[in-house]
Amino acid sequence: MALAASSPTDAPGTAGTRQRHSPFGPAAWLVATLIGLGALLAMLPDGTAEPLQTVIAWLMVAMVATLAVMLVAKGMERLLDSESS
């Protein structure tokens, strides 16, 4: 039996009924966490928790880099989608 004959395209769960996940779901969480870390860093007194401040700053740098990579990947995906159409 051919593959096309065994799997109809109008079956439940096909493109019409599937929901796409939000592409900015993880990015929104990263931004919220970045804002929270920035607020925590601003509330800490200077010099009293220097190792903690260093860790928070490096986490913020890593999060910004992760957001940049996610945005570049999303842009490349959109570019490839527009070229294939």
Side-chain angles (χ1 to χ4, degrees):
M1 177 186 316
L3 181 62
S6 65
S7 59
T9 58
D10 59 346
T14 57
T17 58
R18 273 188 257 151
Q19 293 180 355
R20 250 184 108 185
H21 294 288
S22 173
F24 295 108
W29 282 105
L30 280 174
V31 169
T33 307
L34 185 65
I35 291 170
L37 284 175
L40 179 64
L41 189 62
M43 289 188 318
L44 289 174
D46 288 338
T48 57
E50 194 168 324
L52 181 60
Q53 290 174 340
T54 303
V55 169
I56 290 174
W58 278 109
L59 279 173
M60 291 174 70
V61 168
M63 292 172 78
V64 169
T66 303
L67 283 169
V69 168
M70 290 172 66
L71 290 175
V72 167
K74 187 65 181 169
M76 292 298 293
E77 181 182 347
R78 287 183 180 173
L79 180 65
L80 290 173
D81 285 345
S82 68
E83 286 180 355
S84 66
S85 296

